[in-house]
Amino acid sequence: MTLTTGPIGGSAAWIGADMTTRSDWMVALTPAELAEIDDAIAAHRRAGRAMGEITPETFRLPTLAGRLSKVLDDLLEGRGFVLMRGFDLAQRSVEDAAIAYLGIGSHLGGFRSQNARGHLLGHVKDLGLDIQNPKVRYYQTNKELEFHTDSCDVVGLLCLRAAKAGGGSRIVSSVTLHDRMLAETPELWRALFNPMPTDRRGEVPPGMLPWFDIPVFNWHAGKLSTIYSGQYIRSAQMNYPEARRLSATEHAALDRLDALAAELSLEMDFRPGDMQFIHNHQILHSRTDFEDWPEPERRRHLLRLWLSPRTGRDLPPVYAQRYGDITPGNRGGIVVQDTELRFTLEPT
């Protein structure tokens, strides 16, 4: 275990209240770039390609590709998030929207499986499922999500339809959280470098335990990488008596991290067509609870991507418990014994 020796700072250490006065994290797609996207969708359809065949080479974006390269640099080396706006859904089918989203995503990284069923195109939608079921994920409900990270390098969301009320996206810099805890509560800061059992929620790779042990804060190769799901750390304490018991200091550290995340976060409302991308290793994300429309065809629906860029940072070996292979461009995602990789246009 290696601890940081002081505050990290830099462009990745931002505060939500300050970001509300800035607009550099918003990317407005131009008419020329939108025309390129439409041309690429048409070329994909003419070629009769499957969604799994979408790559930067097959989904050509002559000028937008350069802008997406800058977006990727901002994600991996800068503030860690971006919101792309201006993609009009009114004249596009869900399938065309998905093709465009996958095409844009392919310029940022390779697609990774988001659940045990191998979904490479995820659906964030209230399916009316019982959250008490250990195999049900919170994104399949309308409940508030606590701040957490996902099991990949970059997380993307495309808003197809917004909720009637609520459902705001909240993000926070884990670098800022680290620096604030180091300054204010060093004992609690130190506890977050301890490996903590985290529940896999039934998605267990062959030969693995139903939980994995990993620190929240990981200092490696000169960078802080954060992996966190407080809900699943706490559920591992309830569900697996053989998992290591957390100390009172470690519980207090999790509570303080959650409180600071809420205090320092940035909230943004999604409009249909908005695409949000975040760097999972330096951003925690959450969502407010929401009230949905009564009509099924109007209900909140987001498409999700998990991406692995070839230029991703080095990760510490302990991440292999969750990521499997930790080679940049080929890591992250959830794969169990019977996982079959697939793209689907319907949430299941």
Side-chain angles (χ1 to χ4, degrees), residues 127-141:
L127 301 180
L129 302 178
D130 181 7
I131 196 57
Q132 300 305 316
N133 183 333
K135 294 186 178 182
V136 169
R137 299 286 179 164
Y138 275 76
Y139 69 81
Q140 298 171 314
T141 75

mmCIF file with all atom_site columns, all heavy atoms in Angstrom, residues 127-141:
data_model
loop_
_atom_site.group_PDB
_atom_site.id
_atom_site.type_symbol
_atom_site.label_atom_id
_atom_site.label_alt_id
_atom_site.label_comp_id
_atom_site.label_asym_id
_atom_site.label_entity_id
_atom_site.label_seq_id
_atom_site.pdbx_PDB_ins_code
_atom_site.Cartn_x
_atom_site.Cartn_y
_atom_site.Cartn_z
_atom_site.occupancy
_atom_site.B_iso_or_equiv
_atom_site.pdbx_formal_charge
_atom_site.auth_seq_id
_atom_site.auth_comp_id
_atom_site.auth_asym_id
_atom_site.auth_atom_id
_atom_site.pdbx_PDB_model_num
ATOM 1   N N   . LEU A 1 127 ? -37.494 -0.353  -14.180 1.00 0.00 ? 127 LEU A N   1
ATOM 2   C CA  . LEU A 1 127 ? -38.186 -1.555  -14.648 1.00 0.00 ? 127 LEU A CA  1
ATOM 3   C C   . LEU A 1 127 ? -39.166 -2.089  -13.618 1.00 0.00 ? 127 LEU A C   1
ATOM 4   O O   . LEU A 1 127 ? -39.725 -3.171  -13.795 1.00 0.00 ? 127 LEU A O   1
ATOM 5   C CB  . LEU A 1 127 ? -37.159 -2.642  -15.007 1.00 0.00 ? 127 LEU A CB  1
ATOM 6   C CG  . LEU A 1 127 ? -36.133 -2.269  -16.087 1.00 0.00 ? 127 LEU A CG  1
ATOM 7   C CD1 . LEU A 1 127 ? -35.189 -3.436  -16.345 1.00 0.00 ? 127 LEU A CD1 1
ATOM 8   C CD2 . LEU A 1 127 ? -36.831 -1.840  -17.363 1.00 0.00 ? 127 LEU A CD2 1
ATOM 9   N N   . GLY A 1 128 ? -39.369 -1.345  -12.525 1.00 0.00 ? 128 GLY A N   1
ATOM 10  C CA  . GLY A 1 128 ? -40.303 -1.770  -11.496 1.00 0.00 ? 128 GLY A CA  1
ATOM 11  C C   . GLY A 1 128 ? -39.828 -2.973  -10.710 1.00 0.00 ? 128 GLY A C   1
ATOM 12  O O   . GLY A 1 128 ? -40.640 -3.721  -10.164 1.00 0.00 ? 128 GLY A O   1
ATOM 13  N N   . LEU A 1 129 ? -38.498 -3.154  -10.605 1.00 0.00 ? 129 LEU A N   1
ATOM 14  C CA  . LEU A 1 129 ? -37.948 -4.323  -9.930  1.00 0.00 ? 129 LEU A CA  1
ATOM 15  C C   . LEU A 1 129 ? -37.775 -4.061  -8.433  1.00 0.00 ? 129 LEU A C   1
ATOM 16  O O   . LEU A 1 129 ? -37.695 -2.914  -7.994  1.00 0.00 ? 129 LEU A O   1
ATOM 17  C CB  . LEU A 1 129 ? -36.604 -4.702  -10.557 1.00 0.00 ? 129 LEU A CB  1
ATOM 18  C CG  . LEU A 1 129 ? -36.645 -5.014  -12.065 1.00 0.00 ? 129 LEU A CG  1
ATOM 19  C CD1 . LEU A 1 129 ? -35.242 -5.321  -12.573 1.00 0.00 ? 129 LEU A CD1 1
ATOM 20  C CD2 . LEU A 1 129 ? -37.585 -6.188  -12.340 1.00 0.00 ? 129 LEU A CD2 1
ATOM 21  N N   . ASP A 1 130 ? -37.691 -5.137  -7.671  1.00 0.00 ? 130 ASP A N   1
ATOM 22  C CA  . ASP A 1 130 ? -37.558 -5.049  -6.216  1.00 0.00 ? 130 ASP A CA  1
ATOM 23  C C   . ASP A 1 130 ? -36.095 -4.891  -5.843  1.00 0.00 ? 130 ASP A C   1
ATOM 24  O O   . ASP A 1 130 ? -35.289 -5.793  -6.071  1.00 0.00 ? 130 ASP A O   1
ATOM 25  C CB  . ASP A 1 130 ? -38.133 -6.325  -5.576  1.00 0.00 ? 130 ASP A CB  1
ATOM 26  C CG  . ASP A 1 130 ? -38.057 -6.298  -4.052  1.00 0.00 ? 130 ASP A CG  1
ATOM 27  O OD1 . ASP A 1 130 ? -37.683 -5.248  -3.488  1.00 0.00 ? 130 ASP A OD1 1
ATOM 28  O OD2 . ASP A 1 130 ? -38.362 -7.337  -3.439  1.00 0.00 ? 130 ASP A OD2 1
ATOM 29  N N   . ILE A 1 131 ? -35.736 -3.746  -5.281  1.00 0.00 ? 131 ILE A N   1
ATOM 30  C CA  . ILE A 1 131 ? -34.350 -3.476  -4.936  1.00 0.00 ? 131 ILE A CA  1
ATOM 31  C C   . ILE A 1 131 ? -33.850 -4.396  -3.832  1.00 0.00 ? 131 ILE A C   1
ATOM 32  O O   . ILE A 1 131 ? -32.637 -4.543  -3.622  1.00 0.00 ? 131 ILE A O   1
ATOM 33  C CB  . ILE A 1 131 ? -34.168 -1.995  -4.536  1.00 0.00 ? 131 ILE A CB  1
ATOM 34  C CG1 . ILE A 1 131 ? -32.681 -1.607  -4.562  1.00 0.00 ? 131 ILE A CG1 1
ATOM 35  C CG2 . ILE A 1 131 ? -34.787 -1.719  -3.188  1.00 0.00 ? 131 ILE A CG2 1
ATOM 36  C CD1 . ILE A 1 131 ? -31.999 -1.829  -5.877  1.00 0.00 ? 131 ILE A CD1 1
ATOM 37  N N   . GLN A 1 132 ? -34.760 -5.070  -3.116  1.00 0.00 ? 132 GLN A N   1
ATOM 38  C CA  . GLN A 1 132 ? -34.324 -6.015  -2.086  1.00 0.00 ? 132 GLN A CA  1
ATOM 39  C C   . GLN A 1 132 ? -33.727 -7.273  -2.690  1.00 0.00 ? 132 GLN A C   1
ATOM 40  O O   . GLN A 1 132 ? -33.016 -8.021  -2.019  1.00 0.00 ? 132 GLN A O   1
ATOM 41  C CB  . GLN A 1 132 ? -35.515 -6.384  -1.180  1.00 0.00 ? 132 GLN A CB  1
ATOM 42  C CG  . GLN A 1 132 ? -36.136 -5.191  -0.464  1.00 0.00 ? 132 GLN A CG  1
ATOM 43  C CD  . GLN A 1 132 ? -35.123 -4.394  0.335   1.00 0.00 ? 132 GLN A CD  1
ATOM 44  O OE1 . GLN A 1 132 ? -34.288 -4.954  1.045   1.00 0.00 ? 132 GLN A OE1 1
ATOM 45  N NE2 . GLN A 1 132 ? -35.196 -3.067  0.224   1.00 0.00 ? 132 GLN A NE2 1
ATOM 46  N N   . ASN A 1 133 ? -34.017 -7.530  -3.958  1.00 0.00 ? 133 ASN A N   1
ATOM 47  C CA  . ASN A 1 133 ? -33.409 -8.657  -4.654  1.00 0.00 ? 133 ASN A CA  1
ATOM 48  C C   . ASN A 1 133 ? -31.932 -8.347  -4.876  1.00 0.00 ? 133 ASN A C   1
ATOM 49  O O   . ASN A 1 133 ? -31.596 -7.335  -5.496  1.00 0.00 ? 133 ASN A O   1
ATOM 50  C CB  . ASN A 1 133 ? -34.115 -8.873  -5.992  1.00 0.00 ? 133 ASN A CB  1
ATOM 51  C CG  . ASN A 1 133 ? -33.586 -10.083 -6.757  1.00 0.00 ? 133 ASN A CG  1
ATOM 52  O OD1 . ASN A 1 133 ? -32.433 -10.498 -6.613  1.00 0.00 ? 133 ASN A OD1 1
ATOM 53  N ND2 . ASN A 1 133 ? -34.437 -10.654 -7.590  1.00 0.00 ? 133 ASN A ND2 1
ATOM 54  N N   . PRO A 1 134 ? -31.006 -9.181  -4.386  1.00 0.00 ? 134 PRO A N   1
ATOM 55  C CA  . PRO A 1 134 ? -29.578 -8.860  -4.481  1.00 0.00 ? 134 PRO A CA  1
ATOM 56  C C   . PRO A 1 134 ? -29.063 -8.774  -5.912  1.00 0.00 ? 134 PRO A C   1
ATOM 57  O O   . PRO A 1 134 ? -27.982 -8.237  -6.138  1.00 0.00 ? 134 PRO A O   1
ATOM 58  C CB  . PRO A 1 134 ? -28.904 -10.003 -3.712  1.00 0.00 ? 134 PRO A CB  1
ATOM 59  C CG  . PRO A 1 134 ? -29.891 -11.111 -3.704  1.00 0.00 ? 134 PRO A CG  1
ATOM 60  C CD  . PRO A 1 134 ? -31.243 -10.454 -3.678  1.00 0.00 ? 134 PRO A CD  1
ATOM 61  N N   . LYS A 1 135 ? -29.815 -9.298  -6.884  1.00 0.00 ? 135 LYS A N   1
ATOM 62  C CA  . LYS A 1 135 ? -29.371 -9.234  -8.270  1.00 0.00 ? 135 LYS A CA  1
ATOM 63  C C   . LYS A 1 135 ? -29.905 -8.003  -9.004  1.00 0.00 ? 135 LYS A C   1
ATOM 64  O O   . LYS A 1 135 ? -29.551 -7.766  -10.153 1.00 0.00 ? 135 LYS A O   1
ATOM 65  C CB  . LYS A 1 135 ? -29.790 -10.511 -9.016  1.00 0.00 ? 135 LYS A CB  1
ATOM 66  C CG  . LYS A 1 135 ? -29.079 -11.760 -8.503  1.00 0.00 ? 135 LYS A CG  1
ATOM 67  C CD  . LYS A 1 135 ? -29.397 -12.979 -9.357  1.00 0.00 ? 135 LYS A CD  1
ATOM 68  C CE  . LYS A 1 135 ? -28.631 -14.196 -8.852  1.00 0.00 ? 135 LYS A CE  1
ATOM 69  N NZ  . LYS A 1 135 ? -28.896 -15.398 -9.696  1.00 0.00 ? 135 LYS A NZ  1
ATOM 70  N N   . VAL A 1 136 ? -30.752 -7.220  -8.336  1.00 0.00 ? 136 VAL A N   1
ATOM 71  C CA  . VAL A 1 136 ? -31.306 -6.015  -8.944  1.00 0.00 ? 136 VAL A CA  1
ATOM 72  C C   . VAL A 1 136 ? -30.362 -4.842  -8.681  1.00 0.00 ? 136 VAL A C   1
ATOM 73  O O   . VAL A 1 136 ? -29.879 -4.653  -7.566  1.00 0.00 ? 136 VAL A O   1
ATOM 74  C CB  . VAL A 1 136 ? -32.711 -5.711  -8.392  1.00 0.00 ? 136 VAL A CB  1
ATOM 75  C CG1 . VAL A 1 136 ? -33.180 -4.324  -8.826  1.00 0.00 ? 136 VAL A CG1 1
ATOM 76  C CG2 . VAL A 1 136 ? -33.701 -6.771  -8.876  1.00 0.00 ? 136 VAL A CG2 1
ATOM 77  N N   . ARG A 1 137 ? -30.082 -4.071  -9.731  1.00 0.00 ? 137 ARG A N   1
ATOM 78  C CA  . ARG A 1 137 ? -29.237 -2.886  -9.611  1.00 0.00 ? 137 ARG A CA  1
ATOM 79  C C   . ARG A 1 137 ? -30.107 -1.638  -9.450  1.00 0.00 ? 137 ARG A C   1
ATOM 80  O O   . ARG A 1 137 ? -31.207 -1.560  -9.995  1.00 0.00 ? 137 ARG A O   1
ATOM 81  C CB  . ARG A 1 137 ? -28.365 -2.739  -10.861 1.00 0.00 ? 137 ARG A CB  1
ATOM 82  C CG  . ARG A 1 137 ? -27.426 -3.921  -11.097 1.00 0.00 ? 137 ARG A CG  1
ATOM 83  C CD  . ARG A 1 137 ? -26.282 -3.899  -10.133 1.00 0.00 ? 137 ARG A CD  1
ATOM 84  N NE  . ARG A 1 137 ? -25.382 -5.037  -10.322 1.00 0.00 ? 137 ARG A NE  1
ATOM 85  C CZ  . ARG A 1 137 ? -24.153 -5.108  -9.833  1.00 0.00 ? 137 ARG A CZ  1
ATOM 86  N NH1 . ARG A 1 137 ? -23.683 -4.112  -9.115  1.00 0.00 ? 137 ARG A NH1 1
ATOM 87  N NH2 . ARG A 1 137 ? -23.406 -6.170  -10.027 1.00 0.00 ? 137 ARG A NH2 1
ATOM 88  N N   . TYR A 1 138 ? -29.577 -0.648  -8.734  1.00 0.00 ? 138 TYR A N   1
ATOM 89  C CA  . TYR A 1 138 ? -30.358 0.557   -8.463  1.00 0.00 ? 138 TYR A CA  1
ATOM 90  C C   . TYR A 1 138 ? -30.726 1.304   -9.739  1.00 0.00 ? 138 TYR A C   1
ATOM 91  O O   . TYR A 1 138 ? -31.744 1.988   -9.789  1.00 0.00 ? 138 TYR A O   1
ATOM 92  C CB  . TYR A 1 138 ? -29.582 1.479   -7.513  1.00 0.00 ? 138 TYR A CB  1
ATOM 93  C CG  . TYR A 1 138 ? -29.793 1.130   -6.055  1.00 0.00 ? 138 TYR A CG  1
ATOM 94  C CD1 . TYR A 1 138 ? -29.164 0.035   -5.472  1.00 0.00 ? 138 TYR A CD1 1
ATOM 95  C CD2 . TYR A 1 138 ? -30.632 1.892   -5.254  1.00 0.00 ? 138 TYR A CD2 1
ATOM 96  C CE1 . TYR A 1 138 ? -29.355 -0.289  -4.143  1.00 0.00 ? 138 TYR A CE1 1
ATOM 97  C CE2 . TYR A 1 138 ? -30.829 1.590   -3.916  1.00 0.00 ? 138 TYR A CE2 1
ATOM 98  C CZ  . TYR A 1 138 ? -30.190 0.489   -3.362  1.00 0.00 ? 138 TYR A CZ  1
ATOM 99  O OH  . TYR A 1 138 ? -30.386 0.166   -2.043  1.00 0.00 ? 138 TYR A OH  1
ATOM 100 N N   . TYR A 1 139 ? -29.897 1.205   -10.797 1.00 0.00 ? 139 TYR A N   1
ATOM 101 C CA  . TYR A 1 139 ? -30.226 1.921   -12.029 1.00 0.00 ? 139 TYR A CA  1
ATOM 102 C C   . TYR A 1 139 ? -31.465 1.345   -12.715 1.00 0.00 ? 139 TYR A C   1
ATOM 103 O O   . TYR A 1 139 ? -31.993 1.942   -13.653 1.00 0.00 ? 139 TYR A O   1
ATOM 104 C CB  . TYR A 1 139 ? -29.027 1.944   -12.986 1.00 0.00 ? 139 TYR A CB  1
ATOM 105 C CG  . TYR A 1 139 ? -28.649 0.612   -13.611 1.00 0.00 ? 139 TYR A CG  1
ATOM 106 C CD1 . TYR A 1 139 ? -29.342 0.129   -14.716 1.00 0.00 ? 139 TYR A CD1 1
ATOM 107 C CD2 . TYR A 1 139 ? -27.586 -0.143  -13.118 1.00 0.00 ? 139 TYR A CD2 1
ATOM 108 C CE1 . TYR A 1 139 ? -28.991 -1.078  -15.313 1.00 0.00 ? 139 TYR A CE1 1
ATOM 109 C CE2 . TYR A 1 139 ? -27.235 -1.345  -13.703 1.00 0.00 ? 139 TYR A CE2 1
ATOM 110 C CZ  . TYR A 1 139 ? -27.935 -1.813  -14.797 1.00 0.00 ? 139 TYR A CZ  1
ATOM 111 O OH  . TYR A 1 139 ? -27.591 -3.009  -15.380 1.00 0.00 ? 139 TYR A OH  1
ATOM 112 N N   . GLN A 1 140 ? -31.943 0.172   -12.256 1.00 0.00 ? 140 GLN A N   1
ATOM 113 C CA  . GLN A 1 140 ? -33.156 -0.433  -12.803 1.00 0.00 ? 140 GLN A CA  1
ATOM 114 C C   . GLN A 1 140 ? -34.398 -0.006  -12.025 1.00 0.00 ? 140 GLN A C   1
ATOM 115 O O   . GLN A 1 140 ? -35.472 -0.557  -12.222 1.00 0.00 ? 140 GLN A O   1
ATOM 116 C CB  . GLN A 1 140 ? -33.032 -1.960  -12.786 1.00 0.00 ? 140 GLN A CB  1
ATOM 117 C CG  . GLN A 1 140 ? -31.889 -2.487  -13.635 1.00 0.00 ? 140 GLN A CG  1
ATOM 118 C CD  . GLN A 1 140 ? -31.656 -3.976  -13.440 1.00 0.00 ? 140 GLN A CD  1
ATOM 119 O OE1 . GLN A 1 140 ? -31.619 -4.484  -12.322 1.00 0.00 ? 140 GLN A OE1 1
ATOM 120 N NE2 . GLN A 1 140 ? -31.515 -4.683  -14.541 1.00 0.00 ? 140 GLN A NE2 1
ATOM 121 N N   . THR A 1 141 ? -34.246 0.981   -11.143 1.00 0.00 ? 141 THR A N   1
ATOM 122 C CA  . THR A 1 141 ? -35.350 1.494   -10.329 1.00 0.00 ? 141 THR A CA  1
ATOM 123 C C   . THR A 1 141 ? -35.396 3.020   -10.471 1.00 0.00 ? 141 THR A C   1
ATOM 124 O O   . THR A 1 141 ? -34.601 3.608   -11.201 1.00 0.00 ? 141 THR A O   1
ATOM 125 C CB  . THR A 1 141 ? -35.162 1.123   -8.844  1.00 0.00 ? 141 THR A CB  1
ATOM 126 O OG1 . THR A 1 141 ? -34.137 1.952   -8.269  1.00 0.00 ? 141 THR A OG1 1
ATOM 127 C CG2 . THR A 1 141 ? -34.781 -0.342  -8.682  1.00 0.00 ? 141 THR A CG2 1
#
